[in-house]
Amino acid sequence: MDVNIALLAGDGIGPEIIAEATKVLNRVAEKFGHRFEYREALVGACAIDATGDPYPDRTHRICLEADAVLFGAIGDPKYDNNPKSPVRPEQGLLRMRKSLGLFANLRPIALFDTLADRSPLKADVVRGTDFICVRELTSGIYFGRPQGRNEAGTEAFDTCTYTRAEIERVLHVAFRLAMSRRRHLTVVDKANVLETSRLWREVAQGLAGQYPDVEVEFMFVDNAAMQIVRQPTHFDVIVTENMFGDILTDEASVISGSLGMLPSASVGSDVALFEPIHGSYPQAAGKNIANPMATILSAAMLLEHLGLDAEGRAVRAAVDCALTGGVVTEDLAAPGERRCSTTEVGDFIAAQI
């Protein structure tokens, strides 16, 4: 099979982790008889530095022409520390999601058994955790208008808007996903306060009849945040709006013991994009210490999205071998254990394919 993959390494540790995921993909291609072709493109702070645009037109064309996109991370302290900067790396990420029609973000929260004691929660609480968050990605308060400040700069405002069609399409993704799993869907909102949440709940209740085999529950976002910590094994599929999903998935990510373990997929109408959920981690850039496993597992999701299920399973099994064998970076190494470099972990995983 020939596959055209757009590589958007981005900023910080992005180039390092993308290099290791590519290494693993190349081994998959060799082992299973595929040919993967890569086209690199700029996004984020590096794109601003080179072109003045965090998501250049050339990058958009490369993404549209690809079978899938593998993305690293964006962000740079020189922009984080300047809130008045007129152009920011994050603008490129939001525009990329909107331009590519990536309206649903899928974030699996699954605990590898060997990492149960690395979680900040008790092992008997987190063991068996396996759920997916479906986050609406292209609307809500991050995209609503008007947005800004008054002329005096003393008042700021953001607008949260959703249409019925925007809610329906992401709910269908969540319902179908629940049908393929344990048939339990949790719809997270703040319907006791927010009008947009009341529309979410109304639409979800209306669609539930189309999926009679799925058990649907509704949960306020503050309660959901508590239950994810208290009883993460309760959840199967969670679906929610953009900002709530952003916050809850970052909270849930630490269950695994490290942000460096969790992949994600963003899907929609054009091309799918796969990325680790962690940020650019600029403090580690160039030091060869970042955990590449989330990006490698994102590559596994990319393979499965293309129908290459056996290849995806092979990558997951190789990651499990690395964890079982203690071939891990500093974020996962227990006291007294060896801390492997980014490239050592990538080399080991590739060798297991």
Side-chain angles (χ1 to χ4, degrees), residues 68-320:
V69 180
L70 187 60
F71 171 52
I74 63 167
D76 189 287
K78 66 185 178 184
Y79 296 99
D80 296 340
N81 298 328
N82 181 13
K84 294 186 178 180
S85 176
V87 182
R88 308 180 62 81
E90 293 76 14
Q91 292 170 342
L93 180 59
L94 296 178
R95 181 144 44 96
M96 179 170 62
R97 290 170 176 169
K98 195 79 169 180
S99 300
L100 295 177
L102 303 174
F103 62 80
N105 180 236
L106 313 182
R107 293 192 176 187
I109 310 294
L111 182 75
F112 286 87
D113 288 341
T114 53
L115 297 180
D117 62 344
R118 312 293 169 84
S119 174
L121 302 180
K122 293 180 179 179
D124 60 350
V125 171
V126 299
R127 191 172 283 113
T129 296
D130 179 13
F131 63 92
I132 294 183
C133 290
V134 181
R135 167 190 170 193
E136 198 289 322
L137 206 56
T138 59
S139 194
I141 201 166
Y142 292 169
F143 291 91
R145 296 294 182 269
Q147 179 188 70
R149 298 188 183 189
N150 62 4
E151 291 184 3
T154 57
E155 180 181 346
F157 48 91
D158 298 281
T159 305
C160 184
T161 62
Y162 270 106
T163 67
R164 181 176 293 272
E166 288 170 338
I167 299 169
E168 284 181 347
R169 65 184 183 181
V170 75
L171 282 170
H172 279 301
V173 170
F175 272 111
R176 289 194 293 266
L177 192 56
M179 285 289 293
S180 70
R181 290 172 52 89
R182 301 192 301 276
R183 304 191 175 192
H184 180 211
L185 178 64
T186 304
V187 181
V188 173
D189 59 32
K190 192 63 176 171
N192 57 335
V193 175
L194 301 176
E195 192 62 39
T196 48
S197 282
R198 286 190 278 274
L199 180 59
W200 267 82
R201 185 167 294 208
E202 175 186 321
V203 174
Q205 290 170 337
L207 290 183
Q210 299 182 30
Y211 301 91
D213 294 331
V214 176
E215 178 189 356
V216 181
E217 69 172 345
F218 295 90
M219 193 175 290
F220 293 147
V221 63
D222 39 359
N223 184 31
M226 179 176 65
Q227 297 305 328
I228 286 172
V229 172
R230 180 177 175 273
Q231 191 181 6
T233 55
H234 168 80
F235 298 100
D236 179 24
V237 178
I238 295 173
V239 62
T240 190
E241 60 103 70
N242 203 341
M243 185 169 68
F244 294 164
D246 192 2
I247 296 168
L248 290 179
T249 52
D250 278 1
E251 177 201 14
S253 68
V254 301
I255 291 172
S256 69
S258 171
L259 274 171
M261 288 303 303
L262 296 180
S264 76
S266 296
V267 300
S269 56
D270 293 315
V271 62
L273 179 145
F274 302 85
E275 62 176 307
I277 75 161
H278 58 69
S280 60
Y281 193 13
Q283 301 91 334
K287 296 181 180 179
N288 201 22
I289 60 173
N291 186 349
M293 289 186 179
T295 313
I296 292 170
L297 290 170
S298 295
M301 293 183 74
L302 182 155
L303 293 168
E304 291 159 353
H305 175 76
L306 296 174
L308 304 177
D309 293 342
E311 291 85 338
R313 287 194 297 270
V315 173
R316 296 181 189 280
V319 170
D320 198 31

Side-chain angles (χ1 to χ4, degrees), residues 318-342:
V319 170
D320 198 31
C321 283
L323 293 170
T324 303
V327 183
V328 296
T329 45
E330 63 178 18
D331 57 312
L332 293 176
E337 288 185 350
R338 179 170 177 260
R339 300 179 175 190
C340 297
S341 68
T342 306

